[in-house]
Amino acid sequence: MTEPERLSLAEWLVLCLVREEPTYGLVLVGLLARDGRLGQVWSVPKAVVYRALQRLETLGLIRTAGEQRTSLGPVRSLCQATPAGEAAACAWLSTPVEHPRDVRSELMVKLALLDRSGIDSRDLLQAQLARLLPVAAALDDRLRASTGFEHTLVLWRHEAMTATVRFLEALTEPSEVRAR
């Protein structure tokens, strides 16, 4: 494995699902389809799931753990996370997103995966808040200093950030996290 931080969101999602338990590509395709359990959060087309599996295997993050022959189609390969894949997935799941725009995609995927695994998400949520609060403060300062269209743009970002912070704060309340 060379640079796991360079994985796409789809690749991280596939890796984390394989980490949960050994599985087949077809199962992942179903979970990540638009109407699948995780596809409702972030859908991944079938071809992208299979490309992700190939790349993750090339990087040494997953391996083929067995095969199943069926009369309905090609041989199915059972995929399993390697120790390096397990470690990379765990580290990624506990790391807050870098940019506020990634809350809707990457953070929501992480929260869904943590929930599937029965892992409390409060540490991640608190780390995410800690990362975004300085950005929110900087937007407050920029909002007061901007004029014209720049003010309009900064106001948009400020309002989006305010909603994001409010959302994260609501999720960090003990009753909110447990109810989900």
Side-chain angles (χ1 to χ4, degrees), residues 9 92 95-97 102-111:
L9 182 53
W92 181 77
T95 303
V97 300
D102 296 326
V103 168
R104 163 59 187 98
S105 54
E106 187 178 331
L107 182 65
M108 290 298 286
V109 163
K110 289 178 180 184
L111 293 174

Side-chain angles (χ1 to χ4, degrees), residues 75-94:
V75 173
R76 294 181 186 168
S77 297
L78 183 66
C79 301
Q80 179 178 40
T82 63
E86 295 255 357
C90 287
W92 181 77
L93 284 170
S94 66

Side-chain angles (χ1 to χ4, degrees), residues 96 121-133 168 172:
S121 60
R122 280 181 287 200
D123 288 344
L124 174 60
L125 291 165
Q126 290 168 348
Q128 191 63 65
L129 267 170
R131 178 157 291 163
L132 292 182
L133 287 174
L168 293 171
T172 58

Side-chain angles (χ1 to χ4, degrees), residues 3 14-15 49 53 66 94 100 109 127-128 135 143 147 149 166:
E3 296 183 32
V14 168
L15 175 61
V49 170
L53 288 169
S94 66
V109 163
Q128 191 63 65
V135 177
L143 187 60
T147 59
F149 181 74
R166 198 170 45 242

Side-chain angles (χ1 to χ4, degrees), residues 1-179:
M1 177 184 73
T2 54
E3 296 183 32
E5 66 278 356
R6 299 236 182 227
L7 296 180
S8 68
L9 182 53
E11 290 166 335
W12 279 119
L13 190 45
V14 168
L15 175 61
C16 289
L17 289 171
V18 171
R19 177 190 153 268
E20 288 180 3
E21 65 180 343
T23 191
Y24 299 99
L26 191 60
V27 172
L28 298 173
V29 167
L31 284 169
L32 298 172
R34 287 192 185 279
D35 60 347
R37 280 194 170 152
L38 286 167
Q40 295 174 29
V41 177
W42 192 260
S43 63
V44 181
K46 180 179 179 179
V48 176
V49 170
Y50 284 104
R51 274 197 306 273
L53 288 169
Q54 289 173 343
R55 181 156 188 262
L56 293 168
E57 189 164 21
T58 299
L59 292 172
L61 298 173
I62 66 170
R63 66 179 186 82
T64 301
E67 293 183 336
Q68 178 187 37
R69 299 198 179 281
T70 73
S71 59
L72 302 175
V75 173
R76 294 181 186 168
S77 297
L78 183 66
C79 301
Q80 179 178 40
T82 63
E86 295 255 357
C90 287
W92 181 77
L93 284 170
S94 66
T95 303
V97 300
E98 290 291 324
H99 197 280
R101 70 174 167 252
D102 296 326
V103 168
R104 163 59 187 98
S105 54
E106 187 178 331
L107 182 65
M108 290 298 286
V109 163
K110 289 178 180 184
L111 293 174
L113 290 166
L114 290 170
D115 184 67
R116 281 177 58 87
S117 297
I119 299 170
D120 191 333
S121 60
R122 280 181 287 200
D123 288 344
L124 174 60
L125 291 165
Q126 290 168 348
Q128 191 63 65
L129 267 170
R131 178 157 291 163
L132 292 182
L133 287 174
V135 177
L139 281 171
D140 284 341
D141 294 341
R142 282 188 62 200
L143 187 60
R144 285 189 288 278
S146 62
T147 59
F149 181 74
E150 180 188 0
H151 181 77
T152 302
L153 184 59
V154 173
L155 179 61
W156 171 258
R157 290 178 179 158
H158 178 271
E159 292 301 317
M161 178 60 74
T162 300
T164 300
V165 168
R166 198 170 45 242
F167 168 73
L168 293 171
E169 287 173 341
L171 285 178
T172 58
E173 294 174 11
S175 61
E176 186 68 25
V177 173
R178 296 199 193 289

